[in-house]
Amino acid sequence: MTLAYAVCSVSVMPLRASASHRAEQVSQVLFGERMEVLATEKNNWLHVRCEWDEYEGWVKGGQVALITYKEYRKPLLAITASTNDVALVEH
């Protein structure tokens, strides 16, 4: 069950296997990537599922900003390098 929605607010954020700085880093989340908050743990740890690749893991709550469902579902825009055209990114 999704408790909330969030976006990464730092340049690079570690995605951990458990709610600890000593836990294995299973992936990284980049600035602006969106995620679902699935659970919370003591010391401000959040269990999240990344929107882009559906990886799940734990992040510190201070490294994300909460967003609304409408902001979470908003299509991403991308600029193509060859033509500078703006296009919707579907995933």
Side-chain angles (χ1 to χ4, degrees):
M1 179 173 89
T2 301
L3 301 178
Y5 300 93
V7 62
C8 179
S9 60
V10 296
S11 57
V12 179
M13 177 175 64
L15 188 66
R16 304 275 181 191
S18 60
S20 168
H21 288 295
R22 294 178 179 246
E24 174 188 4
Q25 181 176 320
V26 295
S27 188
Q28 290 181 325
V29 183
L30 302 178
F31 179 80
E33 287 191 50
R34 299 179 287 198
M35 60 205 88
E36 299 173 71
V37 179
L38 305 174
T40 60
E41 187 68 40
K42 63 182 177 180
N43 297 325
N44 202 25
W45 284 95
L46 305 175
H47 184 227
V48 299
R49 178 185 307 122
C50 298
E51 178 192 32
W52 184 256
D53 55 12
E54 296 188 358
Y55 266 66
E56 288 189 25
W58 292 88
V59 300
K60 285 298 284 183
Q63 297 180 320
V64 303
L66 297 180
I67 59 175
T68 65
Y69 178 74
K70 185 177 179 179
E71 292 169 315
Y72 177 77
R73 295 306 310 156
K74 186 176 180 178
L76 296 173
L77 295 178
I79 298 175
T80 59
S82 60
T83 64
N84 289 335
D85 291 334
V86 176
L88 289 177
V89 177
E90 298 292 332
H91 60 276

